[in-house]
Amino acid sequence: DQQVKQNSPSLSVQEGRISILNCDYTNSMFDYFLWYKKYPAEGPTFLISISSIKDKNEDGRFTVFLNKSAKHLSLHIVPSQPGDSAVYFCAASRNFNNNDMRFGAGTRLTVKP
Amino acid sequence: DAMVIQNPRYQVTQFGKPVTLSCSQTLNHNVMYWYQQKSSQAPKLLFHYYDKDFNNEADTPDNFQSRRPNTSFCFLDIRSPGLGDAAMYLCATSREGGYEQYFGPGTRLTVT
């Protein structure tokens, strides 16, 4: 039962343009959402998060938007850089308790120079 | 730098031959996790330790066991690996009540 879904396995964007990565979830009990970034041969690293009391969180070039009614979140990267090329995982958990965090399958972002 | 270390990075084992993967951390985090990730799939939580308290996911096969002898180390034991257990195994840690998980680089297990 996949509770977190990233329906686009890959995304290709030109350098300088916006990258939008999408994530859908099915469990309405999720109230904390995270994005992780993974380079080849490395473990995922935390990128940005958002709690369900907000609908937007921004950190530099990265912004996460949460639409609770649609059970949808997205990660915007503006402007995209070649160094952003990686696999991005969406994750969700309940009650700030990440002991039951669920991950999506990831989206591979390629930013072309 | 504080970090999560996994050894070995690549492990080859034979069908049915027990294998142990190790994870160590210098972050002094209370919680340690083991995930299994198969190609193009989401990391799947196998179990986690909250200090010494072991928490197994309901669908984790009995073939998978874990030990945490102290705060710094955690082991994943696969008692009788099958071909379907070939995967990347990720170890992660987090602070008590924290929300970020810190991942190691993973161990890629091949079963022949």
Side-chain angles (χ1 to χ4, degrees):
Chain A
D1 176 25
Q2 193 167 350
Q3 300 181 51
V4 179
K5 296 181 182 179
Q6 294 176 256
N7 291 319
S8 298
S10 63
L11 174 68
S12 183
V13 170
Q14 204 68 33
E15 181 179 7
R17 306 294 290 268
I18 184 171
S19 296
I20 300 176
L21 296 97
N22 293 303
C23 178
D24 298 292
Y25 61 96
T26 57
N27 189 340
S28 58
M29 298 297 292
F30 287 144
D31 59 6
Y32 198 74
F33 306 89
L34 305 90
W35 285 93
Y36 284 82
K37 176 178 177 179
K38 184 183 183 305
Y39 291 118
E42 295 182 13
T45 55
F46 170 74
L47 184 59
I48 192 170
S49 63
I50 189 168
S51 74
S52 59
I53 61 172
K54 295 184 176 181
D55 55 16
K56 177 182 174 181
N57 189 28
E58 193 170 353
D59 183 3
R61 296 184 298 114
F62 302 91
T63 303
V64 57
F65 295 92
L66 175 63
N67 183 333
K68 285 176 299 226
S69 60
K71 295 192 181 68
H72 177 84
L73 63 155
S74 60
L75 174 68
H76 293 210
I77 306 174
V78 180
S80 301
Q81 299 174 354
D84 297 328
S85 297
V87 177
Y88 290 79
F89 291 98
C90 171
S93 65
R94 297 176 296 169
N95 302 323
F96 263 33
N97 176 4
N98 61 0
N99 295 344
D100 68 345
M101 189 172 293
R102 297 292 181 253
F103 283 82
T107 297
R108 182 177 299 278
L109 173 66
T110 302
V111 180
K112 297 180 179 179
Chain B
D1 282 343
M3 54 200 305
V4 181
I5 302 162
Q6 290 189 246
N7 286 306
R9 295 292 305 274
Y10 301 91
Q11 176 74 57
V12 180
T13 191
Q14 292 177 335
F15 182 94
K17 185 175 181 181
V19 65
T20 295
L21 309 182
S22 73
C23 177
S24 63
Q25 54 134 337
T26 61
L27 298 159
N28 203 33
H29 283 170
N30 294 82
V31 193
M32 294 187 77
Y33 311 79
W34 280 103
Y35 289 87
Q36 179 193 64
Q37 186 185 16
K38 297 186 177 180
S39 180
S40 300
Q41 295 184 21
K44 178 181 179 301
L45 181 64
L46 296 173
F47 26 59
H48 74 272
Y49 274 94
Y50 195 109
D51 291 326
K52 288 190 174 295
D53 292 333
F54 178 72
N55 297 272
N56 200 27
E57 291 295 298
D59 57 354
T60 298
D62 292 341
N63 197 28
F64 292 85
Q65 302 286 320
S66 185
R67 296 170 284 135
R68 189 179 185 186
N70 54 52
T71 300
S72 301
F73 285 88
C74 195
F75 300 98
L76 171 61
D77 301 308
I78 309 176
R79 295 193 294 188
S80 182
L83 297 178
D85 296 328
M88 175 71 80
Y89 290 87
L90 294 164
C91 174
T93 73
S94 69
R95 296 189 311 270
E96 178 177 351
Y99 42 82
E100 298 169 34
Q101 293 188 17
Y102 294 76
F103 284 84
T107 294
R108 183 166 296 282
L109 179 68
T110 301
V111 182
T112 61

